[in-house]
Amino acid sequence: MEKHKINARSILLFTLLLFVILFCLTMLYQENSSVKSIPQLNYLIVVVALFFLNAIIFIFMILKYFANSRHFSTLIMSLAFLSSLVYFVETIFIIKEPIIESALIQMKSNDISIFYLFRQLSFIFLLSLALFCSDINNVDQTDNKKKTVVLLMSLIPFFFFPVIAHNLSSYNPDYCWFIVDYSRKNEAVTWGANYLKIIICLWSFLLFFIITQTRLASDLWPYIALLCLSAICCNLLLLALDDYNYTVWYISRGIEVASKLFIISILIHNIFKELHLANKLAVHDVMTNIYNRRYFFNELELRLNTRNKTCFCLLFLDIDHFKRINDRWGHVVGDRVIISIVNIIQQSLRSEDLLARLGGEEFGVMLYKTNITQARFIAEKIRKNVEMLTGENNIYNIPEPMTISIGAFFATTPDYSASDIMVQADKALYEAKNNGRNQVVIHHT
């Protein structure tokens, strides 16, 4: 539920920001309507920026896919950003060509428009494929066939669309396709409105199906929906303004840059979140959310090496007759017992003490900067609390009372290694269990 709230908040915030930028830039354009073109260098900088932003998003997405190859749609999404790079390169070469006569203004504008149109179509095509395969997994053989078909279909915008766009531009005069008109009288270039309407409709349909099919429940689809929304806004801006010139393109590309930067920031945030989760899982027990065996013994070694003759106590705790719980009540109840006892132990410890799960029903506690009286008091407190709080009518819904055996080793000298301390604590635990369980046994030097 919290994840959906975060997605909804992000979408609302970015949508409001997008419309504010769109409104401000439109007002700026209207106040400077006499300006017929933005310097080519500025436009070139924007296109180069978009090239690198798409390249960065592709790299992040492809790495995300390699980290979790079950999400096949992420691979197809990444290809959508990769396919855009071809059209940006074509556009960069067009912008760099000097304008010698007025006829070249229409030709350059037409070429840029063609590559813009095919870039949008490639994006829509590949995102539609990603949406189609969003439920494909890696288990079913039928799904593997679907993946092959989708990958083959994704080659269409990679190879055929760029070839078609290149041949419809001024590079091939015999098949040149004019989708803009140029008026020499007022030096204005106008889009063919029908092409823009088609693009807007395609983006709108894609946005509708993304929302209805994915429910914006995954990590990436909410932000792809935002990208669709920004594309609709960019094309509506072109459609709403009569003069097609570099100013309009500059504004629309500014909106696109903002949306791509937003997606990159989200991808970086997700990567750091996944790294944080991976680091947490590496040292925490999944079920109880306390430290695991690996972290416990690493920390034991570290504390032994830095304690400088400070008194140190290690506790091993074992739930009495736990196998009986699993056999009689099942593993679901057994898991609930473990989680409940962990909660009770945590309530009984000090903030500086360390608790970890060492095995199925076995736990370890490190008591640092303590004396033997305090260590015995804490161990007895844990034992009594477990016995009392799991008794009749307990709040944890445990079907029968539980007890715990505790073995401890208290060292007053730094002469013991980690393995020596563990052996002594284990011997104390063995003694506690052999002497009737539900008791504390402490060995010390």
Side-chain angles (χ1 to χ4, degrees):
M1 181 62 68
E2 184 64 25
K3 186 176 180 180
H4 289 294
K5 288 181 180 178
I6 293 173
N7 286 340
R9 249 186 263 124
S10 300
I11 292 172
L12 179 61
L13 178 63
F14 183 77
T15 302
L16 291 174
L17 180 63
L18 192 63
F19 279 109
V20 168
I21 294 174
L22 182 61
F23 176 78
C24 293
L25 291 175
T26 304
M27 293 300 102
L28 179 65
Y29 169 74
Q30 290 177 350
E31 291 175 1
N32 298 277
S33 58
S34 60
V35 179
K36 287 299 179 184
S37 66
I38 291 289
Q40 289 192 139
L41 179 61
N42 291 359
Y43 188 28
L44 182 62
I45 291 172
V46 172
V47 176
V48 171
L50 283 171
F51 173 89
F52 283 106
L53 287 175
N54 279 269
I56 292 170
I57 295 174
F58 163 72
I59 292 171
F60 274 119
M61 282 193 169
I62 202 70
L63 290 175
K64 186 177 179 66
Y65 170 72
F66 286 141
N68 188 357
S69 59
R70 289 180 300 173
H71 299 299
F72 182 67
S73 59
T74 304
L75 174 63
I76 306 302
M77 282 186 210
S78 68
L79 297 181
F81 291 94
L82 180 63
S83 68
S84 300
L85 302 184
V86 178
Y87 303 103
F88 283 125
V89 170
E90 292 272 23
T91 304
I92 289 169
F93 279 110
I94 293 171
I95 296 171
K96 288 178 65 178
E97 292 180 0
I99 300 176
I100 302 173
E101 54 185 16
S102 60
L104 285 177
I105 298 176
Q106 180 185 11
M107 193 63 68
K108 291 182 68 171
S109 300
N110 189 69
D111 288 346
I112 291 173
S113 301
I114 288 172
F115 292 124
Y116 172 79
L117 176 65
F118 275 88
R119 179 165 67 86
Q120 303 263 309
L121 292 175
S122 297
F123 229 108
I124 294 169
F125 189 98
L126 286 165
L127 289 181
S128 300
L129 282 179
L131 184 62
F132 169 75
C133 65
S134 58
D135 59 343
I136 289 179
N137 56 56
N138 290 330
V139 179
D140 197 319
Q141 189 173 2
T142 304
D143 285 340
N144 289 332
K145 292 180 179 178
K146 286 183 181 178
K147 287 168 64 175
T148 304
V149 172
V150 169
L151 281 174
L152 290 175
M153 292 182 66
S154 66
L155 298 179
I156 296 175
F158 268 101
F159 295 103
F160 293 103
F161 281 19
V163 171
I164 294 172
H166 190 85
N167 280 282
L168 291 177
S169 67
S170 60
Y171 291 106
N172 192 343
D174 295 334
Y175 298 99
C176 190
W177 180 31
F178 288 95
I179 61 175
V180 299
D181 294 319
Y182 177 70
S183 174
R184 295 188 180 183
K185 184 177 179 180
N186 56 10
E187 297 182 351
V189 182
T190 55
W191 252 97
N194 291 332
Y195 301 117
L196 282 176
K197 290 177 182 177
I198 292 172
I199 293 175
I200 292 170
C201 288
L202 290 174
W203 277 116
S204 300
F205 279 124
L206 180 59
L207 178 60
F208 171 78
F209 285 114
I210 286 174
I211 294 173
T212 55
Q213 291 193 26
T214 68
R215 303 294 181 184
L216 304 182
S218 68
D219 289 337
L220 290 178
W221 283 115
Y223 311 110
I224 296 299
L226 288 178
L227 186 65
C228 295
L229 180 62
S230 68
I232 293 170
C233 291
C234 291
N235 288 292
L236 283 173
L237 177 62
L238 295 178
L239 187 62
L241 299 174
D242 294 331
D243 291 341
Y244 167 87
N245 52 47
Y246 287 130
T247 305
V248 179
W249 275 90
Y250 192 75
I251 293 171
S252 60
R253 296 290 69 73
I255 295 173
E256 186 176 358
V257 167
S259 64
K260 297 292 175 63
L261 283 173
F262 182 80
I263 291 177
I264 288 176
S265 65
I266 292 299
L267 286 170
I268 293 174
H269 169 74
N270 287 344
I271 286 174
F272 277 105
K273 187 171 68 175
E274 289 174 3
L275 285 174
H276 174 74
L277 178 61
N279 290 333
K280 183 179 179 180
L281 292 176
V283 297
H284 282 78
D285 177 63
V286 176
M287 187 176 74
T288 60
N289 202 32
I290 61 175
Y291 290 113
N292 59 18
R293 182 185 185 91
R294 174 186 177 186
Y295 180 86
F296 184 82
F297 292 127
N298 287 342
E299 189 68 14
L300 176 60
E301 291 279 2
L302 179 64
R303 290 193 180 192
L304 285 174
N305 293 332
T306 59
R307 62 191 174 93
N308 297 323
K309 297 185 180 181
T310 302
C311 296
F312 184 90
C313 187
L314 181 69
L315 276 63
F316 279 175
L317 305 86
D318 190 87
I319 301 174
D320 296 329
H321 306 295
F322 182 74
K323 185 176 183 300
R324 183 185 66 199
I325 296 294
N326 279 335
D327 293 341
R328 181 179 298 180
W329 303 99
H331 290 280
V332 173
V333 174
D335 290 346
R336 187 163 67 243
V337 167
I338 290 175
I339 294 171
S340 302
I341 289 180
V342 165
N343 182 263
I344 295 170
I345 295 173
Q346 287 176 318
Q347 294 177 38
S348 308
L349 294 174
R350 304 169 299 178
S351 58
E352 64 267 26
D353 300 329
L354 189 149
L355 171 64
R357 186 182 182 193
L358 306 182
E361 69 275 12
E362 187 177 353
F363 306 92
V365 174
M366 274 187 275
L367 303 178
Y368 195 50
K369 294 181 180 179
T370 187
N371 56 50
I372 193 167
T373 302
Q374 289 175 324
R376 187 177 296 279
F377 173 80
I378 293 171
E380 282 292 344
K381 182 181 178 182
I382 294 172
R383 186 193 65 78
K384 290 177 181 178
N385 285 346
V386 169
E387 185 177 24
M388 180 179 63
L389 295 177
T390 61
E392 190 175 353
N393 298 322
N394 62 82
I395 62 173
Y396 298 104
N397 195 25
I398 295 175
E400 59 182 79
M402 303 300 302
T403 59
I404 192 167
S405 298
I406 301 175
F409 179 70
F410 185 83
T412 56
T413 65
D415 301 330
Y416 289 92
S417 66
S419 60
D420 292 335
I421 291 177
M422 286 186 289
V423 167
Q424 293 297 327
D426 197 54
K427 285 181 179 179
L429 176 62
Y430 182 79
E431 184 178 332
K433 295 177 78 69
N434 279 350
N435 290 342
R437 306 177 190 271
N438 190 24
Q439 59 182 280
V440 175
V441 174
I442 298 182
H443 291 175
H444 59 88
T445 57

